[in-house]
Amino acid sequence: MAFNPMDSSMDQEAVDDIVDAAIANNEVVLFMKGDARMPQCGFSDRAVELISQYRPDVHTVDTLQSLDEFRVALEEHSGWETIPQTFVDGEFVGGSDILAELEERGELGDELKAENAAPVEDDGLDDEIQSPF
């Protein structure tokens, strides 16, 4: 029997429990493909980028571990089966397109309930690694 990495789905009840707990126990949660360090699609990457500039404490859930079941569970909460999906204080905010629209209007920080609604400035410098160039 060959190993199929895509054949790793969980049962629906387990995924429902994961989604319910993540939404209930985290102020900001992003259901995405991959994780914050290594998003596995452009939409998830954009969502992490947008949220992280205001909320570095975002909790992420990798939906690739059981994609079909996560789509079903998330649709129960949001009415959408698309991924990524962002929830703040248990309320559905939207996917990367909605996040981008909120950012464009200057409303994303407020929607994410960031203490400082202005984006965290990235000076491009990494404190731990010093480049000789």
Side-chain angles (χ1 to χ4, degrees), residues 76-88:
E76 289 294 317
H77 286 275
S78 67
W80 290 14
E81 65 175 31
T82 58
I83 295 168
Q85 290 191 24
T86 307
F87 291 80
V88 177

Side-chain angles (χ1 to χ4, degrees), residues 47-94:
V48 167
E49 180 183 309
L50 287 164
I51 295 169
S52 295
Q53 65 182 334
Y54 296 97
R55 294 297 301 258
D57 60 336
V58 62
H59 177 76
T60 61
V61 177
D62 184 354
T63 61
L64 289 175
Q65 57 189 319
S66 197
L67 192 56
D68 291 337
E69 289 77 11
F70 272 100
R71 288 185 193 280
V72 169
L74 288 168
E75 188 173 14
E76 289 294 317
H77 286 275
S78 67
W80 290 14
E81 65 175 31
T82 58
I83 295 168
Q85 290 191 24
T86 307
F87 291 80
V88 177
D89 286 336
E91 297 294 320
F92 176 61
V93 173

Side-chain angles (χ1 to χ4, degrees), residues 18-61:
I18 290 169
V19 169
D20 292 345
I23 291 171
N25 297 325
N26 296 283
E27 190 172 341
V28 179
V29 63
L30 173 65
F31 295 91
M32 62 181 289
K33 293 178 181 173
D35 63 36
R37 289 174 287 144
M38 188 172 286
Q40 297 298 306
C41 81
F43 297 112
S44 291
D45 184 45
R46 181 70 174 139
V48 167
E49 180 183 309
L50 287 164
I51 295 169
S52 295
Q53 65 182 334
Y54 296 97
R55 294 297 301 258
D57 60 336
V58 62
H59 177 76
T60 61
V61 177

